[in-house]
Amino acid sequence: MTTIIFWIFVLFTVVSAFKVVHSHNLIYAALSLLLTLFGVTALYVFLWADFLAGVQIVVYIGGILILLLFGIMLTHKITSIQITQLNMQRGVAGASALGILIILLWMIFRTPWFTMTSSEPLGTVREIGILLMSDYLLPFEVASVLLLAALIGAAMLSRKTE
Amino acid sequence: MDVLQNYLVVAAILFVLGIYGVMTRRNGIAVLMGIELILNAANLNFVAFARFGGMNLSGHIFALFVIIMAAAEAAVALAIIINLYNHFRTINVDEAGKLRR
Amino acid sequence: MNIFLQYTLLIYLLPLGAFVIQILVGKRLPRQGDWLSISAILTTLALSIALMAGMILDYNPDFREEFSVTWMDLGDFKISMGFLIDNITIIMLFVVALISSMSQIFSLKYMEGDPRYSRYYAYLSLFTFSMNGIVLANNLVLLYMSWELVGLSSYLLIGFWFEKDSAANAGKKAFLTNRVGDIGFFIGIMLLFTAIGSFDYAQIFSGVADGYISGSVLTLAGIGLFMGAVGKSAQVPLHIWLPDAMEGPTPVSALIHAATMVAAGVFMLVRIFPLLTPDALILIAYVGGITAFFAATIAITRTDIKQVLAYSTVSQLGYMVLAVGTGAYVAAFFHLLIHAMFKANLFYCAGSVIHSMHHALDRAKDHDTDAQDMRNMGGIKIRMPITYRAMLISTLAISGVPLFSGFISKDAILAGTLALVERSPQHSLLVVFGFGAALLTAFYMFRMMYLTFHNEPKRPELTPDIKESPTEMLIPLVILGTLSFYIFYTLPNWNPLSESGWFTYLVPARDSVVPGHINLSAHEIEEGVHHSHFTAMILSLLVAGTGILLAWRMYLRQTLSAEMWARKLRPLYNLSLHKFYVDEVYEKVLYRPFLKLADLVAYLDWDLYDKYIVNGVGRLTERLSKFSGDTDYNGLDQGIIDGIGRNARRSGIVLRKIQTGRIQNYILFAALGLLILIILQVV
Amino acid sequence: MDNLQSIQYFWPELIIVFTLIITIFVDFLYSDSASYRTGYWSLAGLVISSLVLSIQGIDVVTTLFRDMLAYDPFALFFKVIIAISTIFIILVSLSTNEYKNTRVGEHFILILVMVLGMMLMVSSIDLIMVYLAIETVSISSFILAGYLKSERRSSESSLKYVIYGAFSSGLMLFGLSILFGLTGTTKIFEIREVLINIGGDAQFAIILAGVFILAGFGYKISAVPFHFWTPDVYEGAPTPITAYLSVAPKAAGFALIIRFFHTVFTDTGALTSTSWLSQTALPWPEIMAILAVITMTLGNLVAIQQDNVKRMLAYSSIAHAGYMLMAIPMLSGEGIQAIMLYMLMYLMMNLGAFFVVIVVKNKTGGETFEDFKGFGWKMPVVGVIMSIFMFSLIGLPPTAGFIGKFYLFAAVIKAGPGFYWLAVIGVINSVISLYYYMRVVRMMFLEGSKQEQTTLPGTLLTVLLICLAVPTLLLGIYWAPVSDWVRNSLMFFTQGL
Amino acid sequence: MLTHILSWLIWLPVVGMVIIVFIPRERVDIVRIVAAVATGLQLWLAIILWTQFDPEVGGFQFMERLKWIPSFNIAYTLGVDGLSLPMVLLTPLLSFLAIFVSWNIKQAEKGYFALFLLLDAGMLGVFVALDFFLFYVFWEVMLLPMYFLIGMWGGPQRIYAAIKFFLFTLFGSVLMLIAILALYFTCGQTFDMITLMDTAPVALDGVLWWGMSAIKVIWILLFIGFAIKVPIFPFHTWLPLAHVEAPTAVSVILAGVLLKMGVYGLLRVNYGMLPEAVWWFVGAIAVLGLINVIWGALCALAQKDLKKLVAYSSINHMGYALLGMAAVVAAGEMNGNNFAAAQAGLSGAVFQMFNHGTISAMLFILVGVIYDRAHHREIGGFGGLAKQMPIFAGITAVAFFAGLGLPGLSGFISEFMCFVGAFPVFKTIVIISTLGILINAAYFLRAYQRVFFGELNEKYTDLPEINSRELFAVVPLAIITIFLGIFPAPFLNMIRTTMTEIIDQVVTLGGTIGLF
């Protein structure tokens, strides 16, 4: 049962991702990105990463995606949304992309990945919390500084000068 | 469902699509979407590896930071795009081609 | 310090000192310093006469003094400079000193009022200095150096009136033609040095004797040295410069281009005779013979008095070389000595004639007639008696009339030739050359005499103004004219028909040092000469007589019309008139192509190699940079994927080679680069 | 080492952070016109932190924050380089005209963030830290590149920069994830441990990971084929930032490359290691050498064509990256010394060149070769100084540049005849570079003619230029102390502690 | 003072330069005087050095050693031997005279003289440096001033000429740098030339790189570097351009000193450190020498521009030096240990270097004189000048005849020695190249006649005679030329010992592998 659901999600993710890069309409692209992110979230769940799934929902869908949508709205009058947003170098791009994909697949299936069996934990939140406050304290702080910088920068850029 | 490779394949596809998107989109925001795809692919990898690597949480942490970075990046990128738009009414990155003499 | 060394050093250095002072301050000295160099040269004359006297008193054929100092020493490579004084040297020194002083005295009037008067005397002194270098040298280096210096002074003196392009050209021609010979000379020297490791005559001879060098190499070396002589002594095919050299002042022609410098070649051959192999000798003989004959044929048709003398000089030099070739090199030197006297005299006479002609023409305000052209002269015998007599004597001498000096030496040479032919008949052509030349000489010399002095004046209006030259110019004429009598060369022997005397005693023939006795010994040669002496004498008397007779009938009695004969022998006449077209041929086959070659090379170097290859590299780099720039800037996608279209749409400018600014391109390339890297690493 | 204990070795960075916060608040108090004063604050902070840096003991070698950072002389060296260049940049941004009528407060704040990021970059030994550091640097540099909002070039360049940066960091991230998947850890030493005895099947994955990561790093040092952003951003960004980008992040990037590759992909994991990790089965030396060759050749060749000096310098900086890459394949101590030394020399001459561009722009308002015409006659001092920088960039004695190149080539030659071809290409490249560098000199002196009255740039600029030119000359004549310093900074820690 | 005389020689001009930099630019007169004084003092020192130099003892004298960069074994090592001393004399002499030649430089005199002094220092450094690194530094330092001197004060094409010169020489020198480093690492990590002379032949013996002997590889790299300076045939085209475009004084230095660095380097490095290779390449050297002689002469013969003619004559003259250098193998045993020839050739080459230095300097100064007056150099454009300016004509005659190797002038002796030395081994080559003497004479005489002989070109009836300043610059050179032409011994004794050492080096270490 879960397997089927899993495959459904996989399919769902991939297809919507495909839409993201293919839809002629930015809004649709954004929406299909939303779906993709959902799909990924689901996969996180399958991977026992409940906390990350949450973060994904909150930050990505709640934050980034909304940002993108805002961006679209701000930079296009509603009427002009329909204009095609594709450029022409698909041929080469597609080819190289395909090439990379093949290479990747080859790699994936012939590499002895580092594996270790383990039972599903009750939840990762606590551990992650502890890790963040102990082992990964520095990255945590740095990230905060970075966010601060991004904040200032973004503010600076979008501030009206005149 | 609990086979590592499945997830990796999905990630790979997302990754490639992301690259493709970045390469083919003219609209800055669309390009950003492509990048988001790439980042997600990477994250998926991390989490998958974490899961099959004996629930090694550093993978999760990595993914977590990646998400944060993504957010920051998106914010900045959008700020830039909007600024460009406000000043010059275009966000088509290939029209940002006036660096010519 | 040894007296000979003292004398020779003085003889060597006095003219140099004169030259230096003259060139530096000559103009500011009273009389522009001519007295300076004249006194210098007279001193040397006195000294060399003293040496002469010493030699006569000593009367020792084997007299020989040698002095040398190391000039450079690099350990194994040493060069020493020094003097070799033997009878030949002393005689030659005397000749040089005598003629030089004659010239300088003669020039007092001849060059009077020339803007570069002091320069002229400086050059003369320089010449004497370098000529003495040749004479005194005991090694090939000093010889070669003086050799070139002589060339320099002749260059300067020929081109003395450099305003005239002809003069400047003549000077250059002389120098370059000599250089051609000198190259051979130089190669010869190097061959000898490489084999023997020394430049000194003595050591070279002993080295040859010890067989360090032999066979064809030795022959080559000999021929190489001989080439030097060919250049200096104006032998065929390098004779072309001497006639042109007559552009120089006449005293110079007398000194350099008749008596001394041109004789240097012969002198050198005499010095190195012992190492010449038979093959080399025979070549030399032929060159000499040919020169003697053909120069004579050319002389027949000259109308310029100095040209006649010039070609006769060439022809006489040919005689000397021929003599060396036949092995009778003493005879050659003998002739050198005698020829120096009468030929110089002839030139002075010509000089004095020309001088007076000039005056006459100047009086007549006539500046376009050539003062040297015999066709404007004639009938001035009574006007210039002394000149006439002096010239007549010398002419008799050169034509080989008994009682006059020329007869004995020429006779010796012809005898030598005959002897050679008797030994090896296949070379009988040489005899023809020898006697033919003798005949022609007699003919054209008398032709000159008649045209110049006898008959009716061609330009009667000039005759009153033609008068005998001033004393300064007559002194040399008298002295040298006197010296054209045989007696001075054959004392104590009074017989006018035999050359034996102090000279033949003091300058004995030496054996060749070439190993293996392939050369005849001096004695054998002596034998041959004696044997054929009588026939030679008879024949030479005959031919001389015929020559004179012909000239007499053609130009004095005019019973035989020269024009008629000229018409009869038109082709020959033309050949002679145009000097066998040698100059023209050289012009066509040598100079022109050579200059063309030079232009070609320069073109190759500058307009092809540099412009295209060297700068091509640069341009290639730029091309590369353009290319990489393009690929880097707008790269493939612009080309492959509708770049033009989009560019046109975007900026209305068709594909400009500059940044498109399209990030996608970059990313595409990054991806491609990625792929490439991956593939690079996998395979 | 534990987080708390680590603090004592972390002061410089901490000071930066404090300054950051202070400047943010201070910046509120200033009006737009006065906001440049923020610069002084940040300057003060930087000076203090670099003082602290200078007194920090180089004998200590340890890891900080639970193996997040390495604390070692190597890192210290690069931190110093970063600090120095930043100080110069802040000073010059106070004296350029480009920031007239823009509020510059944030400018300095962001520079501080960047400094922090780079300092982390040069010392991070955990993949997460690596990623974070790179992102920190990138994001702040995106904004700085686009700082002149009203200038189209600037904004465009920042757009390119951000997209390109995000993309390549994405690639790198993917690579890192593969590495993580192979080894199950993010600590580079542990990674090496695993890699050393990993099966041959993993090779391909390692290759991919390596390449992807190379993309991320290569983009920081703008090595071909990840250099495409460089010319545009360099030309578009405000000149002080261009100068900064051409030096500091490059240095950080090199530090990172050296540390990362030497730790992860070599046999002993120390800078003293002499051969690449055999498991990777990669012809690493050849790859790196080829990268170097392509990078320098392309940089030089394209630079010839530029008409804009700034852009020319952009390509030249690519070329110089290529020169420095030459020393990577050797994996020898000399190689790394050479890179570090070169970095130092490069810092002075390149900053100097850009500063002169600023001077020219202040005077003529342009930055093309045309604008340099006769400049040597207008401002002789600047002209001479610029010539010095150009000669140094060409690598002619007696300038610092020559010494740098000398050490690089020495390192290559030392590696034996196998790499002579690399050296030959290198020198030929420097001959090519002569062409376009001399073009500047030519424009300044040979074109144009004598002027009657000559001027000087502003005092501050003059001082800065002299401060850069004098060492450029002196180090060309006597550089023993520097090279010793470099050699001492080359101790590197293995995971022994 | 005497202990550091070499350092003084190098740094005096630098001091002068510094002083000049601080003189206000209006005070041109002072600038000139300072320059003259600096070079004059330098010349004086050089003469002292010469008097103190002991030609009998071999090896280097007046050595100075100073640690510089110990970590890289770089030291500040100076010293002179018989090979470098002539150049050390020539350089200050020509610099000193050149200052007077450039007396009437217009525009930016200050810069000109400052750069000139720097150039002077660089050149001198090259000749006395005994540390390879130092050598290289000086070698390159000299390029920069040269670039500016040509590029700023040169003729119409000056910029092109300058960059061409720069590119050419830099190309050569970077290859040299590689060779130097290779030597450093293969021969015991030292830059000390003296040590390398001993170690290099041993250390490199039998080392193979890509199947090619390491010695050959390094030799070739160095050879290209030096050949460009000499310049040897395929690398010569920078020279006519640079010579023609450069201002007179700079041409003087170019021809007089710079070209010598090539030969000097070849003898000092290629012969001194890699003698084995000499045996392999000597044939090539001889052939190149031949080409230089003939090619240069022919090109000169075709020139319309007097200065270009002189420039090509330089190529031609350096050819003789090359021939002389090739002669060194004569001392090998397969050539019958003909030490005499080897000495003649090698000393001839060095002597030729020196003579060409003085002679071509004279020629360029004289061309400059006429150019300053007539403002053109077309050989065909003059005529009859001997009437108008006799003194000038006289001195030019001396220079020209010296150029065409007239006995009694120094040029002859050196050419003679080169030929005589090379002849035993390279008979045909030498025989062909004797043609050079002829062409040599041809182009000089042709030029002389067209410029000075014939009717005076009425355009120039008021051309002023050569003035005392110019005379002062030329006459010393003329005197030297004549003196050495008559008494070469003083010079040759000075270099004798060193030449013998070089020959021994080549012969003993060079092994017996020969070409012939």
Side-chain angles (χ1 to χ4, degrees), chain A residues 140-161:
Chain A
F140 189 76
E141 297 302 333
V142 173
S144 63
V145 174
L146 173 56
L147 285 172
L148 180 62
L151 180 70
I152 295 171
M156 187 281 289
L157 283 174
S158 36
R159 181 193 332 126
K160 283 257 172 296
T161 33

Side-chain angles (χ1 to χ4, degrees), chain E residues 218-451:
Chain E
I218 299 180
W219 204 92
I220 291 174
L221 286 174
L222 290 166
F223 180 76
I224 293 175
F226 295 129
I228 286 174
K229 268 274 197 309
V230 172
I232 295 176
F233 166 63
F235 308 114
H236 64 288
T237 55
W238 63 269
L239 178 133
L241 193 64
H243 278 48
V244 170
E245 294 307 323
T248 305
V250 178
S251 317
V252 169
I253 294 298
L254 260 175
V257 184
L258 253 72
L259 304 196
K260 308 304 168 299
M261 295 184 177
V263 182
Y264 172 80
L266 283 172
L267 287 177
R268 169 75 76 231
V269 180
N270 288 31
Y271 276 50
M273 297 179 193
L274 307 164
E276 295 97 322
V278 174
W279 293 85
W280 280 304
F281 292 100
V282 74
I285 296 180
V287 172
L288 287 172
L290 166 65
I291 296 176
N292 258 37
V293 169
I294 300 295
W295 190 270
L298 283 173
C299 289
L301 185 58
Q303 293 313 318
K304 311 259 175 300
D305 179 330
L306 200 54
K307 205 169 179 184
K308 213 162 174 184
L309 178 142
V310 179
Y312 272 109
S313 82
S314 299
I315 298 180
N316 158 278
H317 281 109
M318 285 332 239
Y320 299 125
L322 286 175
L323 278 176
M325 284 168 56
V328 73
V329 292
E333 67 196 280
M334 86 291 309
N335 298 324
N337 303 65
N338 187 343
F339 275 90
Q343 284 162 345
L346 209 55
S347 321
V350 176
F351 197 20
Q352 173 73 356
M353 271 161 73
F354 186 86
N355 293 337
H356 176 259
T358 50
I359 294 169
S360 62
M362 252 197 291
L363 289 168
F364 275 116
I365 296 175
L366 292 165
V367 173
V369 169
I370 189 70
Y371 183 70
D372 291 346
R373 284 160 176 65
H375 304 297
H376 77 87
R377 293 183 303 251
E378 280 302 309
I379 296 176
F382 298 102
L385 290 189
K387 210 183 183 68
Q388 181 62 27
M389 24 204 321
I391 303 175
F392 178 66
I395 293 192
T396 316
V398 175
F400 272 30
F401 278 104
L404 62 80
L406 186 84
L409 299 169
S410 56
F412 164 77
I413 295 170
S414 45
E415 285 173 27
F416 182 85
M417 290 168 76
C418 292
F419 279 129
V420 170
F423 188 75
V425 190
F426 308 97
K427 290 205 170 49
T428 29
I429 291 178
V430 171
I431 288 177
I432 301 171
S433 50
T434 40
L435 265 181
I437 316 179
L438 177 65
I439 312 173
N440 223 333
Y443 64 75
F444 271 123
L445 290 184
R446 225 158 140 262
Y448 194 80
Q449 179 188 353
R450 309 229 324 254
V451 174

Side-chain angles (χ1 to χ4, degrees), chain C residues 240-453:
Chain C
I240 45 169
W241 66 272
L242 186 51
D244 297 25
M246 295 304 142
E247 288 290 342
T250 310
V252 172
S253 317
L255 170 62
I256 300 182
H257 307 115
T260 52
M261 179 183 96
V262 288
V266 180
F267 177 79
M268 186 256 275
L269 287 176
V270 171
R271 271 259 184 264
I272 62 152
F273 176 81
L275 57 73
L276 295 170
T277 58
D279 309 0
L281 282 174
I282 211 64
L283 178 85
I284 296 176
Y286 269 100
V287 171
I290 292 168
T291 313
F293 184 73
F294 283 102
T297 53
I298 295 172
I300 299 175
T301 54
R302 298 302 99 201
T303 55
D304 180 321
I305 183 165
K306 280 184 76 176
Q307 289 286 322
V308 179
L309 293 177
Y311 277 101
S312 86
T313 313
V314 177
S315 142
Q316 295 301 312
L317 290 166
Y319 264 122
M320 304 177 205
V321 174
L322 172 62
V324 174
T326 57
Y329 75 100
V330 178
F333 186 59
F334 197 22
H335 193 57
L336 189 163
L337 166 66
I338 291 170
H339 171 265
M341 304 301 168
F342 63 66
K343 182 50 66 66
N345 190 27
L346 282 169
F347 268 103
Y348 292 134
C349 299
S352 93
V353 170
I354 295 164
H355 191 63
S356 51
M357 278 296 285
H358 259 298
H359 276 292
L361 286 169
D362 286 348
R363 286 279 169 60
K365 301 276 171 298
D366 176 348
H367 293 298
D368 38 23
T369 29
D370 178 358
Q372 308 190 4
D373 194 330
M374 297 188 289
R375 283 168 301 187
N376 309 330
M377 305 175 182
I380 55 174
K381 177 166 135 199
I382 4 88
R383 311 293 309 178
M384 325 181 57
I386 307 174
T387 311
Y388 171 65
R389 293 205 175 68
M391 197 158 192
L392 185 58
I393 295 168
S394 302
T395 311
L396 290 167
I398 192 175
S399 324
V401 176
L403 294 178
F404 296 99
S405 56
F407 171 76
I408 43 180
S409 57
K410 194 183 268 184
D411 181 42
I413 294 176
L414 293 171
T417 320
L418 271 179
L420 172 71
V421 173
E422 277 170 20
R423 276 197 308 277
S424 42
Q426 71 271 30
H427 300 309
S428 37
L429 195 55
L430 289 173
V431 184
V432 181
F433 286 146
F435 287 96
L439 178 130
L440 293 170
T441 312
F443 174 73
Y444 64 71
M445 284 315 289
F446 274 88
R447 165 172 175 271
M448 180 192 78
M449 284 307 287
Y450 293 139
L451 285 177
T452 317
F453 291 99

Side-chain angles (χ1 to χ4, degrees), chain C residues 79 83 96 149 442 460 531 544 580 628 666:
Chain C
I79 300 181
F83 293 163
V96 174
L149 284 178
H531 177 265
F580 295 87
S628 46
Y666 305 168

Side-chain angles (χ1 to χ4, degrees), chain C residues 71 169 179 605 609-610 615, chain E residues 160 164 234 236 312 437 486:
Chain C
W71 185 52
N169 282 324
R179 269 257 158 146
D605 186 65
Y609 174 64
D610 183 57
N615 296 1
Chain E
Y160 170 49
K164 190 166 190 171
H236 64 288
Y312 272 109
I437 316 179
I486 302 164

